[in-house]
Amino acid sequence: MSKLLTADDILPLVTCLTPQERLRLLRLIGVPQEVDDGDAYRVLPPTQEEFSSDKEPLAWDSEGWEDVA
């Protein structure tokens, strides 16, 4: 697996860009891209608490509606 770059690795490269190249980079960064949750979980796997609950899964949905007419 290749080494992930940090902001400290990238910043010197960005400072060397021409104004036109910086504008292009900003446009590329701003384009919405498909999000792959798999990549995020490979970098930082979910914790045991992330998907656990002490309550019934839908119990929180029903709380607080008693007084709604």
Side-chain angles (χ1 to χ4, degrees):
M1 186 170 146
S2 61
K3 177 185 174 253
L4 296 176
L5 296 176
T6 66
D8 290 332
D9 298 327
I10 296 171
L11 188 58
L13 301 173
V14 173
T15 58
C16 294
L17 295 175
T18 66
Q20 292 83 9
E21 291 170 329
R22 286 185 191 184
L23 181 58
R24 182 169 182 257
L25 177 62
L26 289 173
R27 286 183 181 147
L28 290 171
I29 291 172
V31 174
Q33 297 180 0
E34 190 173 313
V35 176
D36 182 9
D37 289 338
D39 289 339
Y41 282 116
R42 276 188 283 285
V43 173
L44 185 62
T47 62
Q48 184 154 353
E49 298 84 31
E50 185 169 357
F51 296 106
S52 67
S53 174
D54 293 338
K55 292 184 173 186
E56 181 182 335
L58 298 177
W60 65 270
D61 277 344
S62 63
E63 293 174 3
W65 290 92
E66 294 83 11
D67 298 330
V68 176

